[in-house]
Amino acid sequence: MQKSSLFMEQNPGDYENGGIQKNLDDDGRTKRTGTWVTASAHIITAVIGSGVLSLAWAIAQLGWVAGPAVLMAFSFITYFTSTLLADCYRAPDPVHGKRNYTYMDVVRAYLGGRKVQLCGLAQYANLVGITIGYTITASISMVAVKRSNCFHKHGHQVKCQTSNYPFMAIFACIQLLLSQIPDFDKLSWLSIVAAVMSFAYSSIGLGLSIAKVAGGGHVRTSLTGVTVGVDVSGSEKIWRTFQAIGDIAFAYAYSTVLIEIQDTIKSSPPENKSMKRATSIGVSTTTLFYVLCGLFGYAAFGNDAPGNFLTGFGFYEPFWLIDFANICIAIHLIGAYQVFAQPLFGFVEGWCSRNWSDNKFITGEHAVDIPFYGIYYVNFFRLVWRSAYVIVTAVIAMIFPFFNDFLGLIGAGSFWPLTVYFPIEMHIAQTKIPKYSFRWTWLKILSWVCLVVSLIAAAGSVQGLIQSLKTFKPFQTQE
């Protein structure tokens, strides 16, 4: 609010002299400074997340043929629809049109009506789910450090059971502090650190898998994955296949924050051009890691691949390297949590400011001089709301600490509407593709096929959650 009033109170002469105009973009907001490099860091932080850890398990369910094929299919679809979405940031023209700051704004500009509410429901429910999932995963990685040292000291046959709950509380305390970062544009440094961490633990997992394969030892693998009658029953094979598809879908879930990432990019060169470059780098980099980690993980563990190959203790030694990898996971997820939470924070705060603009609790900013930092503006509503959100997500994570099933359900729930349906529908509206033309037809077929895949994956994940609830033992490590 202060920035807006400052902009409005300038004299016309200021613009002629190039005064404040140098510090503002064409929409009157503070000039954006992001580039394809920072956008790539945001994407890698969002995409190479906890999903990479479950890919060896997912490939084990699908086998040598279907596993890589499904990975590459999701990679291509994600890249293609992300480029369509990047062109929709401005409307109606992708280069000179009016900016849209959020995914909902983009849908409102191109589709309107009830679809705006449906988009908001899908996006923000997905963001909540991801932040809960990351709380679960980070705590599992923290527990794995403690268990790794226990195994090293007492032997691999010892149970070394440890509760996840204290580590979820530690993760939540860190997020309470980081959640007070005002907006997405101030997160570049955190995303770069998180991206480096994701490369580190993915590389360690890949290296350990390669070393295990090179060291010999017999593991059972097959073209079709886990074997019916040997590893699983017929019904389990079907449900696990569905769940594995959901896990892979989750591994590519970043369309929910694509527009918010694009809104941090400076306007020259055009934002859509920079975003497409960042998308190409981000998706190709993550696909390379995914294929290598998934395939080598399956080669190392075979049909018995753990749900999380760094915390499921497929590896025990060198214990210090396992510890370092899990610390990297925790640090990465600290940053990734913020990448996914900031759009939700911004949406709630913007909505409240518009509806209660005279409420000083909601709109008031109070300057605080922090040593070694400078002036920080405290907003009491932001402090209370964001703190409450972090606490609630941590409590929900404590109630449902099931890693693979949760990832699959989140991936299935968000993949079709946010990654496929809305980008395709907006592209059709933007480019005015004639109904029943060849391009219109194959885009619609792609959308319907992805809907079927999402429903299948959701069914598998729900079944997995039900099974996990039946066998759940509180206060023990969930893997």
Side-chain angles (χ1 to χ4, degrees):
M1 296 296 291
Q2 289 174 334
K3 291 177 182 176
S4 298
S5 61
L6 180 64
F7 172 63
M8 295 299 291
E9 290 170 8
Q10 297 306 308
N11 296 321
D14 289 339
Y15 296 98
E16 297 171 4
N17 297 329
I20 194 170
Q21 193 177 27
K22 292 181 179 179
N23 299 317
L24 297 175
D25 270 328
D26 54 2
D27 59 347
R29 294 194 175 190
T30 304
K31 189 173 283 293
R32 295 156 177 84
T33 58
T35 64
W36 64 268
V37 176
T38 58
S40 297
H42 284 314
I43 292 170
I44 291 170
T45 300
V47 181
I48 300 187
S50 52
V52 70
L53 303 172
S54 66
L55 289 181
W57 180 89
I59 298 294
Q61 312 315 307
L62 299 170
W64 287 116
V65 178
V70 171
L71 265 174
M72 296 308 297
F74 275 105
S75 172
F76 171 76
I77 293 169
T78 301
Y79 171 73
F80 173 68
T81 57
S82 295
T83 60
L84 301 184
L85 189 55
D87 281 334
C88 296
Y89 169 66
R90 287 181 180 265
D93 181 77
V95 177
H96 304 292
K98 179 181 176 293
R99 293 175 186 268
N100 294 287
Y101 307 119
T102 67
Y103 203 135
M104 281 182 71
D105 289 342
V106 173
V107 174
R108 184 179 291 109
Y110 285 99
L111 304 177
R114 185 70 65 183
K115 290 179 180 178
V116 180
Q117 284 74 36
L118 292 175
C119 169
L121 180 63
Q123 182 187 11
Y124 295 118
N126 177 251
L127 294 177
V128 172
I130 289 175
T131 53
I132 294 170
Y134 282 0
T135 303
I136 295 170
T137 312
S139 70
I140 290 173
S141 295
M142 294 175 186
V143 163
V145 173
K146 189 171 182 180
R147 296 183 74 208
S148 172
N149 286 276
C150 174
F151 286 133
H152 178 71
K153 184 176 181 180
H154 300 291
H156 301 169
Q157 71 284 352
V158 180
K159 289 186 177 181
C160 291
Q161 291 178 333
T162 306
S163 172
N164 292 33
Y165 299 152
F167 296 96
M168 289 186 185
I170 292 170
F171 183 82
C173 289
I174 296 170
Q175 294 304 335
L176 286 173
L177 180 64
L178 291 177
S179 290
Q180 297 310 310
I181 295 174
D183 53 49
F184 219 132
D185 201 34
K186 305 295 188 296
L187 280 178
S188 295
W189 65 272
L190 190 59
S191 280
I192 291 170
V193 170
V196 171
M197 294 297 105
S198 66
F199 279 124
Y201 70 72
S202 297
S203 300
I204 290 171
L206 176 60
L208 290 171
S209 296
I210 293 172
K212 187 174 175 66
V213 172
H218 177 70
V219 294
R220 286 186 303 105
T221 64
S222 71
L223 294 178
T224 57
V226 291
T227 307
V228 175
V230 179
D231 302 301
V232 291
S233 65
S235 61
E236 283 178 329
K237 171 72 173 179
I238 294 171
W239 288 119
R240 285 192 177 195
T241 298
F242 291 171
Q243 189 184 330
I245 293 171
D247 282 5
I248 294 173
F250 174 83
Y252 281 104
Y254 87 99
S255 295
T256 46
V257 292
L258 186 147
I259 296 298
E260 285 80 359
I261 291 173
Q262 192 166 346
D263 191 45
T264 67
I265 298 175
K266 60 186 179 182
S267 56
S268 180
E271 301 92 351
N272 65 331
K273 183 177 180 181
S274 296
M275 194 63 195
K276 287 178 181 179
R277 184 178 184 183
T279 296
S280 175
I281 292 170
V283 173
S284 59
T285 302
T286 53
T287 299
L288 177 63
F289 267 97
Y290 283 2
V291 170
L292 291 175
C293 288
L295 297 186
F296 276 104
Y298 183 41
F301 300 111
N303 293 344
D304 296 322
N308 181 324
F309 75 171
L310 282 177
T311 63
F313 289 93
F315 302 111
Y316 289 93
E317 300 292 342
F319 81 100
W320 57 267
L321 189 60
I322 307 297
D323 289 353
F324 178 71
N326 281 298
I327 290 169
C328 288
I329 294 171
I331 294 173
H332 169 251
L333 294 180
I334 287 169
Y337 184 104
Q338 287 301 313
V339 169
F340 284 101
Q342 284 290 340
L344 179 61
F345 293 158
F347 169 73
V348 172
E349 289 156 19
W351 185 83
C352 291
S353 294
R354 288 190 298 273
N355 285 275
W356 295 286
S357 57
D358 296 330
N359 189 314
K360 296 298 182 184
F361 176 76
I362 293 175
T363 61
E365 299 277 350
H366 306 274
V368 177
D369 189 2
I370 300 176
F372 307 110
Y373 176 83
I375 300 297
Y376 175 77
Y377 289 93
V378 176
N379 176 280
F380 289 128
F381 174 69
R382 182 171 67 224
L383 179 64
V384 172
W385 140 244
R386 295 188 180 193
S387 299
Y389 176 83
V390 170
I391 292 169
V392 169
T393 53
V395 170
I396 295 174
M398 292 177 182
I399 298 172
F400 296 105
F402 314 118
F403 180 70
N404 275 28
D405 310 306
F406 207 91
L407 294 192
L409 187 58
I410 294 168
S414 65
F415 175 72
W416 178 71
L418 299 172
T419 303
V420 181
Y421 175 74
F422 285 119
I424 285 178
E425 291 298 311
M426 290 188 292
H427 174 70
I428 291 172
Q430 183 187 52
T431 55
K432 297 179 173 60
I433 299 174
K435 204 170 186 180
Y436 304 118
S437 65
F438 175 75
R439 185 172 175 82
W440 183 92
T441 302
W442 77 258
L443 284 172
K444 287 289 187 179
I445 290 173
L446 174 62
S447 182
W448 280 105
V449 168
C450 290
L451 172 60
V452 172
V453 170
S454 288
L455 291 175
I456 286 172
S461 298
V462 169
Q463 193 270 347
L465 274 172
I466 292 171
Q467 293 301 316
S468 296
L469 280 169
K470 288 180 180 178
T471 59
F472 176 49
K473 295 179 181 179
F475 306 107
Q476 290 186 9
T477 299
Q478 301 299 312
E479 298 170 12

